[in-house]
Amino acid sequence: MNRPAPLLAPSLLSADFARLGEEVRALDQAGADWLHVDVMDGRFVPNLTFGPLVVEALRPHTSRVLDCHLMIEEPERYVADFARAGADTLTVHVEACRHLHRNLQQIQGLKHHAGGRVLAGVSLNPHTPIAAIAHVLELCDLVLIMSVNPGFGGQKFIPQVRPKIRELRAMIRERNLPTRIEVDGGVIVDNIAELAGDGADTFVSGSGILRSERFGRDYAAAISAMRSQAEAAMTWRDP
Ligand code: DX5
Ligand code: ZN
């Protein structure tokens, strides 16, 4: 039986960086399930953001999942540092990993700060086919489908990724896996239902939650509106 609850993961990329701890606490109190941390190295993507020191600094501000999306080359050099800093999930890009199977095994072998192990994720750029992960899917706790080209918040959703979500959901269902499907980039209250209907169960949203015209600074209203849209549209779930 596979009946995942929708998870809402606001992206800190859209937060006020001068008040990052406060923003994390506000999102936690607003009902965020995961807090999405976009790590960029200026090489894999044309932008720079946070490293393990920032994850470590944020860790005492929330007990929610710190969902670390590593948009970096050679992630194997840094995953242990992120785990020690308090990351709960570590997602690497298939396009940045020459030895993806080994990289995922390495992440699954990392101890979680509160016991157990860190969750391993793999992310696919918009152009990368699902077939690229068909042979490592059993090593993935989550698959993150990029629905914009990574590097910046506030971009427009790329609709061509929707068939990939459907294809991956079918593969996960066929193999009876608990793997989560996370979608990231341009996710807003107006399109979350169609993505949930396609098979996504975990939704990253930066500007859609933190910089929304419709909800203003009311993060709780944005999160709850998105959650109820997703909940109603996940009709592919087992009863
Ligand atoms: C883009 C990042 C996303 C970004 C999403 O490279 O991976 O997580 O924060 O921001 P929005 O929701 O504004 O597209
Ligand atoms: Zn991201």
Side-chain angles (χ1 to χ4, degrees), residues 150-211:
F152 304 93
Q155 302 181 80
K156 203 166 163 303
F157 179 81
I158 299 171
Q160 287 79 11
V161 305
R162 288 188 57 197
K164 288 168 60 178
I165 300 174
R166 293 196 284 269
E167 183 184 346
L168 180 59
R169 177 53 63 193
M171 197 183 277
I172 285 171
R173 192 177 189 85
E174 191 186 324
R175 299 189 198 181
N176 200 20
L177 296 171
T179 322
R180 282 203 164 262
I181 301 181
E182 186 170 20
V183 60
D184 182 7
V187 179
I188 56 175
V189 71
D190 300 309
N191 64 11
I192 192 168
E194 58 197 40
L195 303 171
D198 289 337
D201 54 40
T202 305
F203 306 90
V204 177
S205 178
S207 46
I209 292 174
L210 289 115
R211 297 183 186 212

Side-chain angles (χ1 to χ4, degrees), residues 9 11-13 36-40 67-71 91 93 123 144 146 148 150-152 182-185 204-205:
S11 169
L12 299 182
L13 193 59
H36 188 77
V37 182
D38 284 307
V39 176
M40 304 186 187
D67 175 37
C68 297
H69 177 192
L70 306 185
M71 287 162 276
T91 296
H93 265 264
S123 179
L144 190 164
M146 284 306 302
V148 297
F152 304 93
E182 186 170 20
V183 60
D184 182 7
V204 177
S205 178

